[in-house]
Amino acid sequence: SDLNGNWFAGFCVTSVIKPIITHDASVIDINNPALKKMADDVLDALKMSITAVAANPDAQVRIGSAESDFKEALKSVKATRADEVNKMSANAVNLLKAPKEALRMNFGRFAELPAEAVARQGFDRVSEGLAPLMIEPKLFGLGSPKIDVPLNMLKATNEGLLIPKDRLPANFEAFESLSETSFEESLKMNVLDQEIFASYWSRVVDDDPFKGTFGASEFEAVTPNKLGLYIRRVKCEDETNPEWWGDDEIALGAVAIDSDGDVFNKGETYIGGGFHDGKQKTYSNWLYHSFSLTDRIYWPKKFGITLTLAEKDWGGFSSFLNNLWKRIKDAVFNALKAAAMAAGVALATYLGLPEFGPVIGKAIGEVVAWLLDKLIDWLIKLFGDDIFKPFTAWCNVPSLGARWNYSNGTWGNPWSPVNWVRYSGYGGRYLLEYQWRIYA
């Protein structure tokens, strides 16, 4: 009824929630403060090591490292574009000669180390001789044990305050020995705070949250279990410089990252030669890469693929970037474990638990994409604009039955809209179109 006492008949309509797949092309900011601190540190080490090799292409480096990959890339590019590489080396030398304050702004705590030592040791190991980063346990979603002890029961020692064992709370031992504590026990003893953890990291569920909510339809007759990325078109809008020398030869490389944070290097695929202003290649059914939707049943799932376009003279450089994906991922995870151990708790064991896998994997995947994006910005600072910046396409799948909308606004399309990215570099510009698809 309303305020005047008039009665109205009403009814309730229950609508089925239809999950929508979303996709974006932006590099995601790191909101987790623990990961951001570690990502900045890894980036500083990586910038320092790459700059050191750029300044001295003959520097001694560790075989099989990111620095050795970069050294080989410089060698392959220099064979045809010596002027660009020499200019980049000069820029790197000047950066390393900057005043200490400027070095610290560019390279963080690694500015104190000799450039030769950083190049030789490698960005992934250079922090081993330094004090570890300190991350507060609460940033990992861990609670702090509360200790209530009367002052007259505390005893001062050279090592600190001595607390009687019988005054320690029941969950204190569990907090200090997480490796011996199960996920469920930690929750019961409030050692792990799921709400804090989810707010800093992410929230996942171990079953499809939309299961059974769909009406019968033709496309659900066969349950989809794959997510595919299709390349539709590559177009030269402006040939690279010098245009008078000849047409471009273009290759496409990629690194895919699944919802667990696992990395798959696609290598390079030769798109073709003869590219000049206005020339394009179109594809009707080029399934470039596919992901499994059913490897581990938790939701939502997030998939990414970084596409690197390269002109043939810079092919070694794109290979360096593709290989760097896995090296950065390993470095981030190792930094995460080191910071956890430095916090005084056995978080490394926690990070390996199945309950944490989806969240940690997704977070690390986003950090790797962020790091690669920032590193490319740094390389452009060294090289100028003589590089096609890699592009990462993300796809977010909330449910096994999720779909896109059709152009008329109705739900249920297994195909995404056609998306595009524009690459600019080498004095040229290229357009690449791609499309996502859910299929069985």
Side-chain angles (χ1 to χ4, degrees), residues 242-283:
E243 295 191 15
W244 56 267
W245 186 257
D247 295 333
D248 292 340
E249 294 188 56
I250 298 294
L252 178 66
V255 173
I257 186 160
D258 69 11
S259 54
D260 294 322
D262 294 328
V263 173
F264 308 90
N265 195 330
K266 291 283 294 178
E268 284 192 352
T269 301
Y270 183 62
I271 299 293
F275 277 100
H276 50 77
D277 294 1
K279 180 173 179 180
Q280 65 181 17
K281 287 201 170 186
T282 58
Y283 306 93

Side-chain angles (χ1 to χ4, degrees), residues 268-344:
E268 284 192 352
T269 301
Y270 183 62
I271 299 293
F275 277 100
H276 50 77
D277 294 1
K279 180 173 179 180
Q280 65 181 17
K281 287 201 170 186
T282 58
Y283 306 93
S284 60
N285 201 36
W286 182 9
L287 175 57
Y288 186 71
H289 185 74
S290 65
F291 298 94
S292 171
L293 293 174
T294 56
D295 272 352
R296 290 173 67 181
I297 302 301
Y298 57 82
W299 304 95
K301 293 179 181 290
K302 183 162 190 165
F303 304 91
I305 185 162
T306 295
L307 301 165
T308 307
L309 205 65
E311 207 269 334
K312 69 169 185 176
D313 291 342
W314 291 72
F317 194 75
S318 63
S319 296
F320 155 71
L321 293 176
N322 289 342
N323 292 337
L324 193 58
W325 258 95
K326 189 175 188 307
R327 300 190 195 283
I328 293 178
K329 180 203 168 188
D330 293 342
V332 170
F333 188 70
N334 290 335
L336 183 61
K337 289 196 297 184
M341 297 299 289

